[in-house]
Amino acid sequence: MKKIEAIIKPFKLDDVREALAEVGITGMTVSEVKGFGRQKGHTELYRGAEYMVDFLPKVKLEIVVSDDVVEDCIDCIIKTAQTGKIGDGKIFVSDVSRVIRIRTGEEDDEAV
């Protein structure tokens, strides 16, 4: 099993969620996060004073899937979240050694 973490632009969340549902991904965790990479933030004007906004709002999706659907899931996120502009985000994939559903005690693929 793999854990896919995707950092995307907030306005792309609904599109990505719907696209993932179409390929059979129904469970995910979504967090509102802030950060920056190459985008580096921007300046804003507030009450006549200019200030730097270093951390930009993003959305973090966390999805645990079986190995056979990892590439489909990644392709789906890329196609849906990509705008072609800086700040589109990143996808991280890591191994998951064990999953346990607390309610039933099911493990691994049955728990996902």
Side-chain angles (χ1 to χ4, degrees):
M1 284 182 296
K2 303 285 187 208
K3 179 179 182 182
I4 300 170
E5 294 178 81
I7 311 295
I8 63 172
K9 291 182 176 183
F11 69 89
K12 286 292 193 174
L13 175 60
D14 286 335
D15 294 340
V16 171
R17 183 185 51 78
E18 289 171 9
L20 287 170
E22 288 176 13
V23 296
I25 307 299
T26 56
M28 67 182 72
T29 301
V30 178
S31 307
E32 293 180 7
V33 296
K34 292 184 178 192
F36 70 92
R38 290 186 181 155
Q39 201 173 4
K40 294 194 175 65
H42 62 278
T43 57
E44 286 189 5
L45 202 60
Y46 179 71
R47 294 189 176 180
E50 197 173 89
Y51 68 100
M52 185 68 181
V53 177
D54 290 329
F55 294 98
L56 301 170
K58 301 287 182 182
V59 173
K60 179 180 180 181
L61 303 175
E62 295 176 84
I63 308 162
V64 176
V65 296
S66 58
D67 291 335
D68 58 330
V69 296
V70 171
E71 291 305 317
D72 291 339
C73 189
I74 291 169
D75 292 342
C76 181
I77 294 169
I78 290 171
K79 281 192 278 188
T80 311
Q82 190 175 58
T83 66
K85 297 186 173 94
I86 195 165
D88 274 351
K90 296 232 179 356
I91 298 174
F92 305 95
V93 181
S94 53
D95 290 320
V96 173
S97 60
R98 190 173 178 196
V99 176
I100 303 158
R101 178 174 284 136
I102 295 172
R103 179 177 54 90
T104 62
E106 292 171 299
E107 294 198 24
D108 301 326
D109 284 333
E110 291 82 32
V112 176

